[in-house]
Amino acid sequence: MARTKFICGNWKMFKTAGEARELVRQLAPLMAGLARRTVQVAIAPPFTALASAAEAIAGTGLELAAQNVHWEAQGAFTGEVSAPMLKDLGVKHCIVGHSERRQLFGETDASVAKKTRAVLEAGLLPIVCVGETLAEREANETMAVVERQVRGALGGLSAAELRTLTVAYEPVWAIGTGKTATTAQAQEVHAVIRGLLRELGGGAADEVRIQYGGSVKADNAAELLAQPDVDGALVGGASLKAQDFVAIVKGALR
Ligand code: PEP
């Protein structure tokens, strides 16, 4: 089935509120003529820039994503932000389980599952990240790791819930390194993820977008996005420059 390609820019810990407004101002005219029916585009600024980005994207067709969330709706969790709080700001999508959060902030399959559920309960759309480290790939553990992460995060969800989410396959060795998975490597893992989703949710698997992430750039985007199970991209570094990000979006239109 035809799935609308979905490109999301993960700005990580870059851009103040004012800088976010400026980047959206640069993106808007570049996005203007693009065929909106065939590609969906979101940006994920840091929490502190969400409000200014929400204002700035009005009328541009861009959607707003958050980079992380707590699994409770409210409570004594100093420093955390909840899904209803994000929704209130105009956020539509939420990245969950990014490898930087798993590696640097101790997130586990169990916490990713709780966050995914909280995002869905708030009426937001999760982008659930999975992917193996270099050591795991070299030890031939890629599929086992991805299977554990997919089942761990999504195992408890209904087919109706699965249908609404996006999975981002992001090999850790490709994130911010300039190394990209080959199209064959990406398609191979995406097809395995699609098979797991089919086990979990039957026909809903055909509606789930599976993004690739890991050093996606203007010059490799179109080829990756042409693979049958690559339904979009989660873009880090290249999403911080308007021209580079829009060139990737254009790669989804070919
Ligand atoms: C990411 O952080 O999700 C990512 C894919 O980063 P980069 O594009 O910079 O590799």
Side-chain angles (χ1 to χ4, degrees):
M1 74 165 284
R3 290 175 289 270
T4 305
K5 301 273 192 215
F6 178 26
I7 312 291
C8 181
N10 172 15
W11 293 5
K12 310 196 185 194
M13 200 172 72
F14 293 97
K15 306 291 178 191
T16 62
E19 289 164 349
R21 204 176 294 114
E22 174 58 22
L23 181 48
V24 172
R25 201 187 58 73
Q26 293 169 11
L27 282 168
L30 300 174
M31 295 282 304
L34 303 182
R36 313 248 22 122
R37 276 189 305 276
T38 54
V39 64
Q40 183 178 7
V41 186
I43 53 170
F47 289 139
T48 48
L50 285 171
S52 74
E55 257 179 54
I57 62 173
T60 63
L62 287 164
E63 296 174 356
L64 199 58
Q67 300 174 17
N68 183 32
V69 69
H70 192 268
W71 55 79
E72 294 291 345
Q74 59 181 11
F77 301 104
T78 302
E80 294 290 328
V81 172
S82 76
M85 292 170 181
L86 296 173
K87 180 148 200 222
D88 181 55
L89 280 180
V91 169
K92 179 168 180 184
H93 310 267
C94 187
I95 299 170
V96 179
H98 190 280
S99 64
E100 286 155 12
R101 300 227 43 99
R102 292 180 191 256
Q103 295 204 308
L104 304 173
F105 302 101
E107 292 209 8
T108 62
D109 291 334
S111 65
V112 174
K114 287 201 280 186
K115 290 181 176 202
T116 303
R117 157 108 7 247
V119 168
L120 287 166
E121 273 170 11
L124 302 178
L125 305 172
I127 300 172
V128 179
C129 302
V130 300
E132 81 288 1
T133 63
L134 183 59
E136 288 163 343
R137 177 161 281 268
E138 287 176 348
N140 269 327
E141 289 169 0
T142 298
M143 300 309 179
V145 168
V146 167
E147 176 165 0
R148 192 202 73 222
Q149 292 173 333
V150 169
R151 287 190 192 280
L154 310 182
L157 302 182
S158 68
E161 287 168 329
L162 279 176
R163 200 169 266 127
T164 68
L165 59 77
T166 298
V167 176
Y169 168 57
E170 300 208 297
V172 178
W173 48 271
I175 295 182
T177 58
K179 287 187 197 148
T180 317
T182 64
T183 51
Q185 284 171 327
Q187 171 56 30
E188 186 187 21
V189 181
H190 283 227
V192 166
I193 293 172
R194 182 94 52 212
L196 290 166
L197 292 169
R198 190 158 287 116
E199 277 182 38
L200 296 174
D206 291 321
E207 292 175 49
V208 177
R209 267 87 60 84
I210 307 177
Q211 295 175 323
Y212 169 79
S215 300
V216 176
K217 304 273 184 280
D219 59 4
N220 58 26
E223 205 193 339
L224 284 158
L225 290 163
Q227 300 304 303
D229 287 295
V230 179
D231 309 312
L234 186 53
V235 184
S239 70
L240 294 171
K241 292 213 175 95
Q243 300 275 3
D244 293 353
F245 186 57
V246 174
I248 291 169
V249 172
K250 286 184 179 159
L253 297 174
R254 269 171 229 152

